[in-house]
Amino acid sequence: MAGQEDPVQREIHQDWANREYIEIITSSIKKIADFLNSFDMSCRSRLATLNEKLTALERRIEYIEARVTKGLSPLEEASGRPWLWRHVDLTLYTMRPSHVAPPSKAPQLSPALLRTLGQKCPNLQWLCLHVADLSMVPITRLPSTLRTLELDSCEISMAWLLKQQDPTVLPLLECIMLDRVPAFRDEHLQGLTRFWALRSLVLGGTYRVTETGLDASLQELSYLQRLEVVGCTLSADSTLLAISCHLRDVWKIWLTVRGLSAPGLAVLEGMPALESLCLQGPLVTPEMPTPTEILSSCLTMPKLRVLELQGLGWEGQEAEKILCKGLPHCMVIVRACPKESMDWWI
């Protein structure tokens, strides 16, 4: 009887040994998978931070080079104003007072100054104006070679840009970036429809633009490929609805999550060309879509490659894991909003 039990006992012991071995292997695989997921999220975050630092460093180097190699420009001497400027390969020209002035006391630019700028830089493509009063300078006086126009903390007049103005002005303009331009309103936005080459539009803090005005303008700006609406009073849901109706070829969207809901985000489902989507906080409301709802909408976007979530407080949380795991084909970046720098070149 004992001889018959020995093989059975040996089989039982062998079975338990096999089970323990399988459990060890399974546990090790899970630990490796957890480590790889954690390593992946850490690398994405570090690469994004490194990219920001490199960009800031490049701008600092350009600024320092301009100060050292250029000194006082002919434009500065002609205008009698203390401008700091940088002009690289006739591509970028940045103008800013040597002191930071509030918008109400910003230096007023004249048509003669802009005319001199066009003469000194006949192939100018990128113009950045920081803290300047353009109320006496309509957009028609800007150099016709411009491809990118950036205004930061500038004053403009009601007639600065109107749809009825000469449609041949700035025929090459591809990108307009506005940040803290308080006078910019629906009429100006409607005036942008005259620029047929325009493909990129950034609206930052343009609180006078209304939802009705944005919808009406996007109907005629259907050729836009990049739209950023940040720090405005517009509802995210209404903005996304206008985008889904009129901008079917848009490839990059960046907007503040104020007023964003799951149904509002769902209108982007199936967007054929969308490659990059950024949702920026910190105004998170109870209607804010959950990570699962965001994942569900993103999975319907065939070309989505970058999903960035800023200032939502999801860094290192379960939400980040859900999105990274559910979107293996995308670069998922979850981070806090970068602090606004007081340095003008950042």
Side-chain angles (χ1 to χ4, degrees):
M1 187 68 177
Q4 294 177 353
E5 291 178 351
D6 286 342
V8 175
Q9 291 294 331
R10 284 197 298 269
E11 187 176 346
I12 291 174
H13 286 305
Q14 185 66 34
D15 181 63
W16 278 106
N18 291 338
R19 287 174 180 267
E20 184 177 2
Y21 180 65
I22 293 172
E23 184 65 27
I24 292 173
I25 293 178
T26 303
S27 176
S28 299
I29 292 175
K30 288 183 178 179
K31 289 180 180 179
I32 293 173
D34 290 341
F35 169 75
L36 291 176
N37 287 333
S38 175
F39 181 73
D40 176 65
M41 289 187 290
S42 176
C43 286
R44 294 183 189 212
S45 176
R46 289 175 182 270
L47 286 173
T49 303
L50 181 61
N51 181 61
E52 284 186 354
K53 291 182 178 180
L54 287 174
T55 302
L57 183 60
E58 288 173 356
R59 293 179 178 177
R60 287 174 185 266
I61 291 174
E62 288 186 355
Y63 168 70
I64 293 171
E65 286 178 351
R67 294 293 304 274
V68 172
T69 61
K70 294 296 182 181
L72 192 65
S73 74
L75 181 61
E76 293 171 327
E77 295 175 354
S79 64
R81 296 193 176 109
W83 299 104
L84 303 178
W85 68 288
R86 172 63 169 155
H87 181 210
V88 183
D89 297 331
L90 300 179
T91 298
L92 173 62
Y93 196 106
T94 303
M95 303 173 65
R96 173 191 169 93
S98 58
H99 65 284
V100 177
S104 59
K105 298 181 180 180
Q108 189 175 71
L109 303 187
S110 66
L113 181 62
L114 270 297
R115 185 166 52 251
T116 303
L117 172 64
Q119 293 171 353
K120 297 294 183 181
C121 309
N123 297 314
L124 183 64
Q125 296 183 20
W126 187 340
L127 176 63
C128 173
L129 298 173
H130 185 100
V131 191
D133 186 349
L134 301 174
S135 58
M136 300 298 293
V137 183
I139 199 170
T140 54
R141 295 300 182 92
L142 297 180
S144 60
T145 55
L146 283 184
R147 292 183 180 273
T148 299
L149 174 62
E150 183 177 354
L151 302 182
D152 187 351
S153 305
C154 293
E155 289 290 335
I156 60 175
S157 68
M158 185 62 194
W160 183 73
L161 173 62
L162 296 176
K163 187 177 181 181
Q164 296 78 13
Q165 291 171 342
D166 184 2
T168 62
V169 174
L170 300 180
L172 305 177
L173 190 62
E174 299 175 350
C175 177
I176 295 180
M177 294 182 283
L178 305 174
D179 187 15
R180 289 166 293 187
V181 182
F184 191 85
R185 60 188 70 205
D186 290 346
E187 291 81 0
H188 296 124
L189 185 60
Q190 189 68 24
L192 296 181
T193 60
R194 60 192 286 187
F195 301 121
W196 290 100
L198 190 64
R199 294 297 179 269
S200 182
L201 175 61
V202 178
L203 302 176
T206 52
Y207 63 88
R208 294 182 185 271
V209 174
T210 66
E211 296 174 359
T212 303
L214 180 67
D215 182 76
S217 298
L218 291 188
Q219 289 185 37
E220 300 185 56
L221 291 171
S222 58
Y223 40 82
L224 282 180
Q225 297 176 347
R226 170 195 175 200
L227 178 64
E228 298 184 16
V229 182
V230 183
C232 302
T233 58
L234 301 172
S235 163
D237 278 6
S238 65
T239 301
L240 291 179
L241 180 60
I243 291 173
S244 66
C245 291
H246 310 305
L247 305 184
R248 300 302 296 177
D249 293 329
V250 67
W251 62 268
K252 180 175 182 179
I253 299 174
W254 187 325
L255 78 160
T256 306
V257 297
R258 178 182 178 274
L260 180 63
S261 66
L265 182 61
V267 301
L268 290 182
E269 294 182 359
M271 288 290 285
L274 187 60
E275 298 180 8
S276 177
L277 174 63
C278 179
L279 304 177
Q280 179 176 315
L283 295 176
V284 180
T285 62
E287 295 77 23
M288 177 70 189
T290 65
T292 303
E293 290 170 332
I294 294 176
L295 174 61
S296 177
S297 295
C298 290
L299 287 174
T300 67
M301 305 172 191
K303 292 189 176 181
L304 188 67
R305 293 296 176 267
V306 178
L307 173 64
E308 184 169 353
L309 305 173
Q310 287 191 11
L312 302 183
W314 291 356
E315 307 90 70
Q317 305 297 318
E318 185 66 23
E320 184 174 2
K321 296 179 181 178
I322 291 174
L323 293 169
C324 290
K325 183 178 180 181
L327 298 170
H329 60 289
C330 286
M331 176 182 289
V332 179
I333 303 172
V334 181
R335 58 178 174 174
C337 286
K339 294 182 180 179
E340 186 174 357
S341 174
M342 298 303 293
D343 296 328
W344 69 272
W345 57 81
I346 298 301

